[in-house]
Amino acid sequence: MRVVAQRCYEASVTIDGENVGEIASGLCLLVGFTHEDTTEDVAYIAKKIVGLRIFEDDADKMNLSIKEAGGAILSVSQFTLYADVKKGRRPSFTKSSSPDEASKLYDLFNETLAAEGLVVETGVFGAFMDVRIVNHGPITIILDSQELLGK
């Protein structure tokens, strides 16, 4: 499981000009899955995101988690995070999980974050979406469960 987490002032996702998800300050998460990902990966990455201390405290130090800062999450499915560009010029997506399995893991991921008391907005899995992110910092962190769990 791979997540690109961007701290943001605001983020939104639209489909055909219609707003389907929007947050003010918090995190915009671009979320992708590979074939080896399990519910263990989902639980681990969700816990890591909830605990990341990447929001400023009163002393302007990155010391607060998203919960402590009162932020929300916009979660957007992104199978292209597993693009393989080693050969040729056209990316291969054979490392990406099947849509059926990825959809289940994506839903579980969002439910896990919401169960932590966070406001979680989403895009629409598998849809062609326009994502608008006003990155704050900029702070962008890549979390990869294969790397973090030593798989």
Side-chain angles (χ1 to χ4, degrees):
M1 178 177 182
R2 194 170 284 161
V3 175
V4 175
Q6 294 190 316
R7 189 178 73 176
C8 60
Y9 280 124
E10 61 186 59
S12 63
V13 61
T14 58
I15 299 173
D16 294 328
E18 181 183 335
N19 190 343
V20 296
E22 181 176 28
I23 64 166
S25 108
L27 292 173
C28 183
L29 306 177
L30 306 177
V31 184
F33 298 93
T34 191
H35 302 289
E36 294 85 24
D37 291 333
T38 66
T39 57
E40 176 189 11
D41 296 87
V42 169
Y44 182 84
I45 294 295
K47 182 177 179 181
K48 191 62 105 168
I49 287 168
V50 170
L52 279 177
R53 294 176 12 181
I54 58 173
F55 293 87
E56 281 92 6
D57 61 15
D58 291 336
D60 288 331
K61 296 203 187 274
M62 288 198 310
N63 237 355
L64 302 177
S65 70
I66 188 165
K67 284 174 74 169
E68 294 165 328
I73 288 178
L74 176 63
S75 174
V76 180
S77 62
Q78 182 94 42
F79 78 96
T80 59
L81 292 178
Y82 280 99
D84 183 352
V85 294
K86 288 180 187 167
K87 293 182 181 177
R89 295 178 291 152
R90 184 190 317 243
S92 167
F93 300 104
T94 58
K95 292 182 180 180
S96 296
S97 182
S98 72
D100 288 342
E101 188 59 30
S103 178
K104 291 175 192 171
L105 293 172
Y106 177 67
D107 288 343
L108 177 62
F109 176 66
N110 295 324
E111 291 164 9
T112 303
L113 292 171
E116 289 287 337
L118 294 167
V119 172
V120 179
E121 293 280 320
T122 66
V124 176
F125 185 89
F128 189 85
M129 298 172 275
D130 293 318
V131 181
R132 183 175 168 270
I133 305 166
V134 180
N135 193 319
H136 176 55
I139 303 293
T140 302
I141 296 174
I142 300 171
L143 300 100
D144 189 313
S145 64
Q146 303 292 311
E147 178 184 306
L148 294 170
L149 290 170
K151 292 184 174 185

